[in-house]
């Protein structure tokens, strides 16, 4: 006798809760869409009545202003869209470097809160209470004033080996002159990272099958460095460097980080790392003491216990609030306009003053931060899913 059941028929009557819910959702979406259309239409009509131009056509007009700091070539005659790209690149540069440094520093401080040394615990506690209770804008201004008032002028720049210079104009350092070998080295490093991930998965499978622990980090590091070195050799092993030298009014040659960039980065890193430290501390505290005792009974050292037992379990508590801190750091970078760092907000303000396109410039700022925030959330949610403890 067949167990097949007749297909469930949809009830399209008003007595069906599912049908009523569908109707309510359609009505709600239609009302929201009508409200958005009405606001947009009314805004455009009022702007037209007052002779205010609208639209994004201005993006293709020459910007007519210089940008003091850019990660790629830019000229004042370039269109506005290129100026906005410079601002977006500067924002992403601060956000990405800041997230990496804040995570490393915050993790170290958070783990330091559990140190057996009272001085280390006290210093970590004092760091957290100091930097998280001072508004981030004041920290940006503090670092900027220190960089512009306390550092020496260019002709008296602090030098380390004649290669690194620190002065009021920022931090200057040697950079390699780009060649084919550097590109192939980058490709080799990416290939090494892929192989390192594959090797780690293989090592974990072998551990589950045989119980034999394999050292993964040295092999992974060797794969990345080794393949990058091979690519560098294949590309002709370029070894030419551009070294900074003192000029009359500015450092010449090499790479440089402006005082504005350094001030923004330090302020965001110290402020955010204090919160990340508390997130890490709470995650570690959430792991039961029995796990630590079990790790000790297996002969694991305190550092091994923290790295192999405690932190992996604490990740399920750490990652969700850590995502919020990453988002806060990215959005707080908009305060860089206060010290003259040319991020996307600064570029938008200049463009607004020149063109009068307030709605369009604000919409671009909103789109940039919305895109970066949603991308960060999507990546961290994916990582959270992979790091979560899965029941068997």
């Amino acid at each position: 006798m067949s167990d097949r059941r007749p297909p469930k028929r949809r009830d399209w009557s008003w007595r069906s809760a599912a049908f009523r819910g569908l109707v309510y959702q359609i009505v709600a979406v239609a009302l929201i869409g009508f409200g958005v259309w009405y606001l947009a239409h009314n805004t455009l009509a009022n702007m037209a009545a007052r002779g205010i131009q609208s639209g994004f056509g201005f993006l293709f007009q020459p910007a007519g202003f210089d940008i003091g700091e850019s990660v790629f070539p830019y000229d004042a005659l370039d269109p506005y869209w290129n100026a906005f790209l410079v601002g977006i690149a500067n924002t992403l540069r601060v956000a990405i470097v800041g997230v990496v440094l804040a995570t490393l520093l915050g993790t170290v401080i958070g783990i330091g809160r559990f140190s057996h040394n009272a001085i280390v615990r006290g210093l970590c506690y004092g760091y957290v209470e100091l930097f998280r209770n001072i508004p981030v804008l004041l920290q940006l201004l503090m670092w900027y004033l220190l960089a512009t008032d306390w550092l020496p002028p260019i002709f008296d720049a602090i030098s380390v080996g004649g290669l690194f210079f620190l002065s009021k104009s920022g931090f200057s350092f040697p950079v390699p002159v780009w060649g084919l070998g550097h590109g192939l080295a980058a490709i080799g490093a990416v290939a090494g990272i892929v192989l390192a991930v594959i090797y780690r998965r293989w090592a974990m499978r072998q551990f589950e099958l045989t119980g034999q622990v394999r050292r993964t980090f040295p092999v992974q590091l060797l794969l990345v460095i080794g393949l990058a070195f091979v690519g560098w050799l294949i590309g002709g092993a370029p070894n030419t460097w551009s070294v900074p030298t003192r000029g009359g009014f500015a450092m010449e040659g090499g790479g440089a980080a402006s005082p504005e960039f350094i001030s923004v980065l330090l302020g965001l890193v110290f402020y955010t790392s204090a919160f990340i430290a508390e997130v890490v501390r709470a995650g570690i505290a959430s792991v039961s003491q029995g796990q630590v005792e079990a790790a000790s009974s297996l002969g694991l050292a305190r550092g091994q216990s923290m790295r192999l037992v405690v932190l992996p379990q604490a990740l399920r508590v750490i990652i969700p609030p850590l995502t919020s801190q990453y988002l806060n750091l990215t959005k707080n970078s908009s305060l860089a306009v206060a010290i003259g760092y040319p991020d996307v907000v600064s570029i938008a303000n200049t463009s607004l003053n020149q063109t009068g396109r307030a709605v369009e410039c604000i919409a671009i700022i909103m789109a940039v931060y919305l895109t970066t925030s949603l991308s960060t959330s999507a990546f961290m949610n994916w990582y959270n899913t992979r790091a979560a403890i899965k029941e068997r």
Side-chain angles (χ1 to χ4, degrees), residues 105 120 169 172 195 278 317 352 364:
L105 182 58
V120 173
S169 63
S172 300
L195 292 178
E278 283 297 278
V317 178
L352 188 156
I364 292 174

Side-chain angles (χ1 to χ4, degrees), residues 191-210:
I193 293 173
V194 174
L195 292 178
V197 172
I198 295 174
Y199 174 79
R200 184 179 185 278
R201 291 182 177 179
W202 175 82
M204 292 300 296
R205 285 197 299 267
Q206 292 298 312
F207 172 73
E208 293 174 356
L209 292 175
T210 65

Side-chain angles (χ1 to χ4, degrees), residues 154-168:
I154 293 176
F155 53 85
D156 285 332
I158 301 172
S159 175
V160 179
L163 299 176
F164 301 92
F165 298 87
L166 185 63
S167 65
K168 292 183 183 296

Side-chain angles (χ1 to χ4, degrees), residues 9-318:
R9 303 181 63 181
R10 293 182 179 275
D11 187 1
W12 298 103
S13 67
W14 190 253
R15 292 175 297 178
S16 171
F19 176 72
R20 291 197 305 271
L22 178 62
V23 172
Y24 293 150
Q25 292 179 45
I26 294 175
V27 172
V29 171
L31 290 176
I32 293 173
F34 175 77
V36 172
W37 171 84
Y38 176 77
L39 290 175
H41 179 268
N42 192 43
T43 300
L44 293 175
N46 290 333
M47 292 174 63
R50 290 165 174 78
I52 302 176
Q53 295 181 345
S54 61
F56 291 91
F58 76 98
L59 292 175
F60 300 95
Q61 301 173 1
F65 59 87
D66 291 320
I67 300 177
E69 190 168 352
S70 175
V71 296
F72 53 84
Y74 168 81
D75 186 80
L77 297 179
D78 289 343
Y80 279 100
W81 65 263
N82 199 10
F84 274 101
L85 285 182
V86 172
I88 294 171
N90 288 337
T91 297
L92 292 179
R93 181 170 63 148
V94 168
I96 294 174
V97 177
V99 162
V100 173
L101 295 181
T103 302
L104 295 176
L105 182 58
T107 302
V108 171
I109 297 297
I111 295 175
R113 295 289 301 273
F114 294 91
S115 174
H116 290 316
N117 190 310
I119 296 178
V120 173
R121 288 199 312 271
L123 290 175
C124 293
Y125 175 77
Y127 175 93
V128 170
E129 294 303 324
L130 174 64
F131 284 103
R132 75 171 178 174
N133 288 306
I134 299 177
V136 62
L137 179 58
L138 294 182
Q139 295 193 39
L140 299 184
L141 294 174
M142 177 192 70
W143 289 113
Y144 185 66
L145 291 175
L146 290 177
T148 55
D149 288 348
W150 285 21
L151 292 179
I154 293 176
F155 53 85
D156 285 332
I158 301 172
S159 175
V160 179
L163 299 176
F164 301 92
F165 298 87
L166 185 63
S167 65
K168 292 183 183 296
S169 63
F171 177 64
S172 300
F173 49 89
V175 294
V177 177
W178 187 263
L180 176 62
H182 298 104
L184 294 180
I187 295 175
V190 172
I193 293 173
V194 174
L195 292 178
V197 172
I198 295 174
Y199 174 79
R200 184 179 185 278
R201 291 182 177 179
W202 175 82
M204 292 300 296
R205 285 197 299 267
Q206 292 298 312
F207 172 73
E208 293 174 356
L209 292 175
T210 65
Q212 182 180 0
V213 179
R214 299 177 183 272
R215 296 177 64 85
T216 57
F217 180 74
V219 178
Q220 291 174 306
L221 186 63
L222 181 62
L223 285 171
V224 176
I225 296 178
L227 290 180
F229 181 71
V230 170
W232 179 70
L233 289 178
I234 294 175
N239 57 1
T240 304
W241 290 75
S242 174
V243 180
T245 56
R246 293 185 180 92
F249 299 96
M251 299 298 299
E252 299 176 356
S258 68
E260 292 80 12
F261 173 77
I262 296 174
S263 301
V264 172
L265 186 63
L266 290 177
L268 293 178
V269 167
F270 286 128
Y271 180 76
T272 308
S273 63
F275 288 92
I276 292 178
E278 283 297 278
V279 170
V280 172
R281 184 193 63 81
I284 294 175
S286 68
V287 179
S288 65
Q289 187 63 26
Q291 296 291 318
V292 179
E293 295 173 354
S296 299
S297 67
L298 293 176
L300 295 179
R302 182 175 174 82
Q304 292 177 318
S305 174
M306 179 66 69
R307 180 170 57 89
L308 300 175
V309 178
V310 177
L311 283 180
Q313 296 184 66
L315 280 179
R316 57 181 176 175
V317 178
I318 291 174

